Amino acid sequence: MKTNQIILHAAVAAALAAGSTAVWAQGKKGVVKIGINETLSGKFVAVGTPPSVAIRLAIHEINDKGGFKVGDTTYTLQPVEVDNRSEGPGVVAGMTKLIEDEKIKIIFGPTVSVLANQAQEMTVPAKVIHLSAAGSWQSLGYLNDPKKPLLFGTQNPLNALARTEIAAVKELGAKKVAYFSADDDTTKGNMGPFLAEAKAAGIEVTTILFPYATADFSSFVSRAKAAKVDSIHFLHPQNSAPNVLRAAVELQAIPKGFSGRQTGAAAALKLAMGKPVPVPYVSAQSTPDLDYPSTPKVKAYAERLRNTGIDLGYNVTFSFFTYDFVHMMAAAMTKAGTVDDTAKIAAVFGSMTYDGVAGKICFATNPRASQYDGTLVSVRNGKVSAKPVPSPCK
Amino acid sequence: MNEQVTVFLQHAFNGISMGAVYALIAAGITLVYGLSRIIHFAVGELVMLGAFIALSVWNWSGEFWLGLAVAVPALALIGLVTERAVFRFTLREPLTGFIVSLGLILILQGTAVEIWSPNPQYSQPPLEGSWDVAGVLLRKQAVVNFAIVVAVLALCYLVLMKTTFGKSLRAVSDDPGAAALMGIPVRTIIMTTFVIGSALAGIAGWMVLTLGLITPFVGAIYVLRGFAVALIGGLGNIQGAALAGIGLGVAESLAAGYVGPGWTDAYVFGAVVLILLWRPTGLAGGSEGAKL
C-alpha cells in the first residue's frame, strides 16, 4: 500500500511539475483541501483503494488544467488523505485530523457502510460537505434528514439499484432466487429494496447471509440448493463472488444461472474457474463497466485509470463513487462563487446536473443520492454483452 | 436416499473437508505448544504465506501442484528462521513468545502486502467438478484436500509414536529437564517442531489457495479456528486436534445449513466456550499432560 501511495504521490507531483507550464491565470491563487478518509489498509482495503485513487486522479486532472475559478481567484485542489485502517477508531482519528487540524470542508469516504455511519457523526456537526457511497446512509434515512443537508450519497438510489438487480435476475429467467451477502450493515441497507422489487416482480427470495470472512461457501450454496432456487444473486463482498460462483457450479445449485451486484464479467470469464463458467451470468452494475465501456468517455477514463500504474483489483468500478464528484464539486464551487460557504456550495452541488464520465449526474431529492449510468453485463457461453442502464438525469 | 438425509450428508461432507484444514493448522499449533509452551499466534500468517508462495509458483510455472511442493519447504525454512532468530530467546518465558508472535503477525502481513499487494488474488485449482455419491456431491478438490490431510496427520502420528525421534519429542514434551539429562537435544527437538509446525501451515496454505480467494489478511480466519480446535482437542494433543478440527468444520457447516447462517461464527464459538468451561483442558485432555 505504501508503495502504491508513493507511486501515486510521485505521479501527481510529476504531473503538477509538468503542469506548471500550463495556463495559470493572472490574479489571485488559492488552494482548496479535499479530505479523503478511506480504508487504505486492513480488511476493507480492496473497497477503499479505488475511490481514493480516483479522487487523486480527478484532482490531478483539475490541477493539470490550471485549476478552477471562483470569482477572480484561481484555485487548485490539494488532497489530504488519512488511512482509517478499516477500523472505527481509525475513522474517528482520521476525521479529527481532517476537520480539526486541517480545517477541511469537503471530505470523501469511507465507502464501507459501518464506517461511514460513524464518520458522519463528526462531519454533520462540523458543517462539512461529506460524500460517501455507503448504502446505509440511504437505508438509515441520513440522506432524507433535513438536519443533515451536507451529506451526499455517491451511489445510485437503492431502489434504482434494486430494479437493476431484479432486471439481472429476470434476464436469467429465475423465479426463485437465493440472495447471498455478508451479514453486515451494507447488506441491511440494500436488502430491503431488493426484496421489495423482487416481490413486485413475483420473484421468490431465499435470504442467505454469511459471516464477512467466509472462505468456503460450499455449505451456504448447499443450503440454497436445498431450498431449490433457480439462481443465486450475490450482493457483497464482491471479491467473494467468484468463489460462490465456482461452488454453485460444482454443487449444481443454479439451474438458471448466477447474478450479482457489481461483480463484473471477469468473475464468470476467468476468476471462478479459469475459463468461462457453464451457466448464464449477469452482473448488475450501478456504474458503467470499465472492461466493456459503453461510451468513449468511459473508455478514455479506463485508460487514464490504468495509466496510474496502480492495481485497483476486483473493485475497480468503485472508482466511479468519487471520480466525477470531484469535478462536479469544483464546478459547484465556481457556480456558487465560494469555497468556504458549505451550505451554498451544497445547495448548488445538489441541484446541478453534471455531464461526467458516468453519464449525466444529478442528485435525487429524497434520498439525496446521486443518479448516473449503470450497466447490465451478461456472460453466456463465454460471450459478453453489455446493456447500458441510462441515468434518469436530463 | 431420503432428500433430507442427502442434504444432511452434503452439509456434513462440506464440513469435514473444511474441518480437515482446521485440523492441520491445529496440529501445527499443538506441536509447537506441546514442546515450547509458546502460543504461536502468527500461525494464521504462516498459512497466508503458504498460500501466496503457492500462488506465485503457480503463476510462474502454470503448475498448481508445484505450489504445494515449494510452499512446504519454504514454510519449513521460515519456521526455522523464526525459531532461530526469535522464539528460541523466549523459551524460558512463553508469554514473551506469545507477544512476539503477535508482532510477527504485523510484520508478515506487511511483508505480504508489499510483495503481493493488498488486493484479493484468485486461483483456479485444476481439479474441478464433483463426484456424485448417492446424491451427495463431493467436490473433487475438497476430497483430495481431505485425503492429503489424513495422510499427513497419519504420518505425523506414526512419526510421533513409532520412531526414536517421536519418543524424544514426547519425552521433551513430558519433562524437558529429564529429557536433557537422558541426552536428548532438547533445543534441537524444539526447533524441529517449529519447522514441522510451519511446514504443516504451508500445506494448509496451499489448501486455502484451492478455495479460490486469498488476501494478506486471510490468516485471521484460520488462526482463531486453529486455536479453537487445538483447545477443544486439548493443547498438546495431536489426535484430539484432528478430531476437533473435523468436529468444528462439521458444526460450522451444519450451522450454515440449518440455522441463521450469518451467525455461524457465533454459534460455533459459543459452543467452543461451553466446551472449555466444561472441560478446561479440552475434550481429549491436554496442556498439563501433553499427549504427543
Side-chain angles (χ1 to χ4, degrees):
Chain A
M1 194 61 237
K2 279 180 185 162
T3 307
N4 288 345
Q5 285 174 340
I6 290 165
I7 291 168
L8 189 60
H9 277 297
V12 172
L16 285 174
S20 62
T21 54
V23 183
W24 284 90
Q26 295 291 322
K28 289 184 281 183
K29 290 174 185 172
V31 173
V32 176
K33 291 180 182 175
I34 300 289
I36 308 166
N37 187 330
E38 265 302 355
T39 51
L40 302 177
S41 62
K43 71 174 183 173
F44 297 124
V45 61
V47 176
T49 302
S52 167
V53 169
I55 293 169
R56 289 174 163 276
L57 176 64
I59 289 174
H60 167 194
E61 290 171 357
I62 290 167
N63 291 347
D64 204 29
K65 287 181 181 165
F68 59 98
K69 281 209 130 195
V70 177
D72 63 349
T73 306
T74 303
Y75 287 92
T76 52
L77 297 175
Q78 179 191 340
V80 181
E81 188 171 66
V82 291
D83 173 12
N84 58 44
R85 304 183 306 281
S86 304
E87 295 167 351
V91 170
V92 173
M95 280 304 181
T96 304
K97 181 189 175 195
L98 296 177
I99 296 169
E100 293 181 12
D101 300 346
E102 299 283 350
K103 312 286 181 206
I104 294 176
K105 293 291 180 187
I106 299 165
I107 297 176
F108 284 84
T111 301
V112 174
S113 286
V114 67
L115 301 177
N117 294 348
Q118 279 182 287
Q120 61 84 34
E121 287 178 16
M122 298 181 73
T123 56
V124 168
K127 297 189 171 16
V128 167
I129 295 178
H130 189 182
L131 305 94
S132 169
S136 59
W137 278 14
Q138 295 187 46
S139 60
L140 294 173
Y142 296 165
L143 300 181
N144 303 37
D145 188 342
K147 291 178 187 156
K148 300 182 177 188
L150 304 185
L151 296 186
F152 289 90
T154 58
Q155 198 171 185
N156 273 290
L158 296 182
N159 55 1
L161 294 178
R163 276 197 296 277
T164 309
E165 290 178 282
I166 290 300
V169 175
K170 280 182 176 170
E171 196 162 308
L172 297 174
K175 289 285 174 198
K176 187 171 182 183
V177 61
Y179 185 79
F180 261 62
S181 192
D183 189 8
D184 63 8
D185 281 11
T186 299
T187 299
K188 283 171 194 149
N190 284 277
M191 196 164 66
F194 181 89
L195 295 177
E197 290 293 334
K199 191 176 177 187
I203 294 169
E204 192 182 339
V205 180
T206 297
T207 303
I208 296 181
L209 307 185
F210 50 82
Y212 188 91
T214 295
D216 181 9
F217 289 92
S218 301
S219 301
F220 300 99
V221 169
S222 295
R223 184 178 177 130
K225 188 181 178 187
K228 297 189 183 342
V229 299
D230 297 328
S231 71
I232 285 175
H233 182 75
F234 190 89
L235 178 65
H236 103 116
Q238 275 81 2
N239 51 37
S240 291
N243 280 20
V244 178
L245 179 54
R246 180 173 179 133
V249 169
E250 293 190 344
L251 294 171
Q252 301 166 18
I254 45 173
K256 295 281 188 182
F258 187 99
S259 58
R261 160 98 72 88
Q262 215 77 16
T263 47
L269 289 173
K270 185 176 177 213
L271 297 179
M273 306 189 78
K275 60 185 179 186
V277 292
V279 295
Y281 171 93
V282 185
S283 171
Q285 314 214 154
S286 65
T287 67
D289 192 86
L290 290 172
D291 293 320
Y292 303 95
S294 49
T295 66
K297 264 188 181 178
V298 174
K299 197 174 178 183
Y301 169 69
E303 193 61 32
R304 295 200 299 280
L305 212 50
R306 282 186 198 106
N307 287 343
T308 63
I310 300 172
D311 175 15
L312 297 184
Y314 194 82
N315 295 328
V316 63
T317 53
F318 288 10
S319 66
F320 283 109
F321 296 158
T322 55
Y323 176 80
D324 279 324
F325 298 97
V326 178
H327 288 279
M328 194 170 167
M329 188 61 72
M333 285 189 273
T334 298
K335 202 170 171 189
T338 175
V339 297
D340 298 313
D341 187 339
T342 52
K344 209 168 173 184
I345 297 166
V348 173
F349 183 70
S351 60
M352 70 192 291
T353 296
Y354 180 77
D355 194 7
V357 172
K360 297 234 185 258
I361 302 171
C362 63
F363 281 86
T365 49
N366 204 8
R368 210 166 30 262
S370 57
Q371 304 172 104
Y372 47 90
D373 290 353
T375 326
L376 278 179
V377 179
S378 303
V379 181
R380 283 175 195 264
N381 303 318
K383 289 187 178 152
V384 183
S385 59
K387 195 190 294 177
V389 179
S391 156
C393 305
K394 303 289 177 199
Chain B
M1 203 186 305
N2 178 303
E3 191 181 332
Q4 305 242 333
V5 175
T6 306
V7 171
F8 178 84
L9 291 176
Q10 181 72 62
H11 286 307
F13 173 74
N14 294 340
I16 288 170
S17 59
M18 198 62 217
V21 179
Y22 301 157
L24 201 57
I25 297 166
I29 291 171
T30 220
L31 267 176
V32 168
Y33 178 83
L35 269 78
S36 68
R37 294 296 186 267
I38 289 174
I39 296 174
H40 189 354
F41 230 67
V43 69
E45 274 52 47
L46 296 181
V47 171
M48 175 271 291
L49 283 183
F52 271 104
I53 289 169
L55 177 77
S56 295
V57 171
W58 176 53
N59 285 339
W60 167 73
S61 68
E63 295 294 330
F64 203 85
W65 296 94
L66 189 60
L68 178 63
V70 174
V72 175
L75 264 290
L77 182 64
I78 291 170
L80 176 68
V81 169
T82 51
E83 197 279 337
R84 290 287 86 190
V86 182
F87 287 111
R88 75 178 167 128
F89 300 110
T90 69
L91 289 174
R92 288 184 191 280
E93 292 290 341
L95 183 60
T96 308
F98 167 65
I99 303 294
V100 164
S101 77
L102 293 180
L104 261 184
I105 291 176
L106 298 176
I107 292 169
L108 296 178
Q109 266 184 10
T111 305
V113 166
E114 286 302 320
I115 297 174
W116 290 286
S117 97
N119 289 323
Q121 312 273 338
Y122 295 91
S123 75
Q124 294 85 32
L127 273 179
E128 61 181 55
S130 49
W131 288 298
D132 188 335
V133 180
V136 178
L137 295 176
L138 310 182
R139 295 179 74 183
K140 291 178 182 175
Q141 189 65 51
V143 172
V144 170
N145 287 359
F146 179 70
I148 291 172
V149 172
V150 169
V152 169
L153 291 185
L155 183 64
C156 284
Y157 182 79
L158 287 175
V159 167
L160 284 170
M161 304 310 289
K162 306 286 183 191
T163 66
T164 309
F165 169 73
K167 282 180 188 165
S168 303
L169 204 143
R170 284 184 285 141
V172 174
S173 174
D174 283 342
D175 189 336
L181 287 173
M182 298 298 290
I184 294 172
V186 174
R187 287 298 179 99
T188 306
I189 293 285
I190 291 176
M191 181 192 75
T192 308
T193 57
F194 270 89
V195 171
I196 295 171
S198 301
L200 292 179
I203 300 171
W206 179 85
M207 288 181 182
V208 166
L209 184 66
T210 67
L211 295 173
L213 167 70
I214 56 170
T215 75
F217 312 101
V218 76
I221 298 177
Y222 297 99
V223 69
L224 276 182
R225 285 162 175 78
F227 271 94
V229 167
L231 285 168
I232 295 171
L235 273 170
N237 187 328
I238 202 164
Q239 303 97 301
L243 291 174
I246 302 292
L248 180 69
V250 171
E252 274 190 340
S253 182
L254 293 177
Y258 291 105
V259 290
W263 287 75
T264 303
D265 287 352
Y267 297 132
V268 170
F269 285 99
V272 169
V273 169
L274 290 176
I275 288 170
L276 293 176
L277 285 174
W278 174 46
R279 296 285 297 269
T281 57
L283 287 175
S287 95
E288 290 306 310
K291 298 287 189 288
L292 291 171

